Amino acid sequence: MSTPDTSTSTRAIAEHLLETMRLLDRADNQQLSIQNGGAYGDVREALIKVLAEEGWRRGMADEAIHKAMCDDISLWDAMFACRA
């Protein structure tokens, strides 16, 4: 069994939050996946705040999060794809 990544870099935290969003999106309890006012929306807002620390504007973060969720890729790969 591998040891979980315990990196505390902003990038690692952002990727963990993205993975949490993916889990919430597939949750058995669909109340968790409600975008506004549910846990999914709360985690998404936290992710946007973390990305702001990296200098990402809200619109840029929204676009990258959407791309990452739809294409099942990392946030940084999504950002590169959105810029292309």
Side-chain angles (χ1 to χ4, degrees), residues 8-37:
T8 56
S9 71
T10 304
R11 182 174 180 168
I13 292 167
E15 294 296 344
H16 282 287
L17 288 170
L18 179 65
E19 184 57 29
T20 301
M21 285 178 61
R22 289 178 174 140
L23 292 170
L24 288 167
D25 191 49
R26 297 186 308 262
D28 292 340
N29 179 348
Q30 285 298 292
Q31 285 298 108
L32 295 172
S33 66
I34 295 173
Q35 296 225 352
N36 295 321

Side-chain angles (χ1 to χ4, degrees), residues 20-76:
T20 301
M21 285 178 61
R22 289 178 174 140
L23 292 170
L24 288 167
D25 191 49
R26 297 186 308 262
D28 292 340
N29 179 348
Q30 285 298 292
Q31 285 298 108
L32 295 172
S33 66
I34 295 173
Q35 296 225 352
N36 295 321
Y40 181 95
D42 292 343
V43 173
R44 189 171 193 285
E45 284 302 313
L47 177 53
I48 289 171
K49 288 177 182 179
V50 168
L51 294 175
E53 291 300 314
E54 289 289 311
W56 296 26
R57 294 180 320 278
R58 184 177 186 87
M60 191 166 61
D62 280 335
E63 186 177 0
I65 292 167
H66 178 75
K67 178 83 174 153
M69 289 293 290
C70 289
D71 294 350
D72 198 29
I73 58 176
S74 75
L75 282 170
W76 270 253

